[in-house]
Amino acid sequence: VGAGERRRQGLSKGFILSRVDGMPVATVEDVRRAVSRASAAGESGVRLEGIYPNGQRGFAGVSVPKALLQSRK
């Protein structure tokens, strides 16, 4: 997620991503798999869950990149 999208979703710098659509993620590949799964299921977005260094939890919904959605048609 780029800085612009992160700001639009209310996520601040330092957000540590821990789950995508409820599935634990630890690597970039885990995130790619989760987004690809959502795209294959026809979903237009995913839910991000994580935590900030101060312990505050954060959540956001982000769109699946259009290129992924188009490649599944």
Side-chain angles (χ1 to χ4, degrees):
V1 176
E5 180 68 14
R6 189 178 65 228
R7 278 193 297 275
R8 278 191 292 282
Q9 295 301 327
L11 297 174
S12 302
K13 189 173 182 177
F15 179 74
I16 301 164
L17 182 63
S18 61
R19 293 180 175 271
V20 175
D21 278 351
M23 302 187 81
V25 293
T27 66
V28 172
E29 189 55 37
D30 291 342
V31 174
R32 285 186 182 128
R33 250 190 310 266
V35 171
S36 291
R37 224 181 335 256
S39 174
E43 299 293 330
S44 61
V46 294
R47 177 184 164 108
L48 306 180
E49 301 174 41
I51 193 165
Y52 291 97
N54 67 0
Q56 179 183 355
R57 294 175 54 118
F59 304 90
V62 296
S63 298
V64 171
K66 289 181 183 177
L68 274 178
L69 292 173
Q70 292 169 351
S71 70
R72 301 291 179 186
K73 291 182 179 180

